[in-house]
Amino acid sequence: MVKTSFPATRMRRCRSSAWMRNMVAEHRLHPSDLIWPLFIAEGQGEEQPIATLPGVSRFSVDRLAEQARQARDLGIPCIALFPNTPPNLRSERAEEALNPDNLICRAIKTIKDSVPDVGVLTDVALDPYTADGHDGITDAQGRVLNDETKTILVEQALVQAGAGADIVAPSDMMDGRVAAIRDGLEREGHCDVAIMAYAAKYASAFYGPFRDAVGSRGLLKGDKRGYQMDPANGSEALREVALDIAEGADMVMVKPGLPYLDIVARVAAEYRVPTFAYQVSGEYAMIEAAAAAGAGERDALVLETLLSFKRAGARGVLTYHAPLAARLING
Ligand code: PBG
């Protein structure tokens, strides 16, 4: 017979009651682990449902204070804002990104004026503003130009910081942009504005509903593989993260979330910076579809997937399920 420590060791003892399970739990989900992405639309009194993201709507700026109050009351520390720019304001050089009165800036001001103790994170990338839906400006062959784009991204980050953004989050994957944005922020006196770098962002099939939400899906020419990471690569993500930290990122992000949990775990184990995961739109849609089909129970799927990010070492998660998850946690 095989020598074993049984029955001295019975793993089930520590699972035998709810209080025992609670007591030995290694990880716990808290509302402060959640960052809530919100989509913004032009207009008044607008709440526009997004078909591919059931349960998520775009809100007009006048409806944002109530959303921010909801976040505060639920204990969600931070909101991430994404604008749906009207088509006539999208252009080849994305000038609207630099308009200090654009949708995102009005949204930032509204939230900071009404609920100042909720953090505001803004995306630094040109895809809501370019005519072709790319994150940067393109040359005649449709290639995204790194250095020209980087210069515009610095200005975009400064416009957002000027409007009151607490965290700017470059999601564009241009090389060298974190250092350039940090320099710009310091130069303009925004030394407390933090940078959360979308450090390891993959060219993923999971972004479809997001592109519907910001209105760029139909516009996108080609794909983003020339700047976002190849899903085949893992070690490259560590290099991306190291570069962004060296350039001055305060926090880093891995995106998408669940299919890249190995990357989250490797980054969190390797570096001493807060690491976030973005459970993206396609992941949200999959959970909703599974729940709608009766294949799983929504609340349990949401809490289990979010907890898995904590177990992998993430400090927090960007998720469209943030309000639901916070309500479930708060009980
Ligand atoms: C754009 C951006 C994207 C997301 C966040 N910022 C889409 C993309 O890169 O095409 C995706 C988020 C999601 O799918 O929920 N820079």
Side-chain angles (χ1 to χ4, degrees), residues 82 123 125 127 135 171 198 201 206-207 210-211 224 228 255 278 280-281 320:
F82 297 96
D123 223 50
D127 55 306
D135 290 25
S171 72
Y198 284 73
K201 175 171 177 178
F206 286 91
Y207 302 151
F210 173 95
R211 293 180 188 163
K224 301 191 179 184
Q228 298 179 348
K255 175 188 176 190
Y278 197 146
V280 299
S281 57
Y320 304 95

Side-chain angles (χ1 to χ4, degrees), residues 154 157-158 166 168 170 176-196 244 246-250:
V154 173
L158 290 175
D166 300 295
V168 292
R177 88 285 204 215
V178 171
I181 290 169
R182 189 69 264 162
D183 278 353
L185 290 170
E186 296 298 318
R187 196 179 62 232
E188 297 291 319
H190 297 298
C191 57
D192 285 335
V193 172
I195 298 177
M196 181 188 289
D244 284 0
E247 290 183 30
D250 301 286

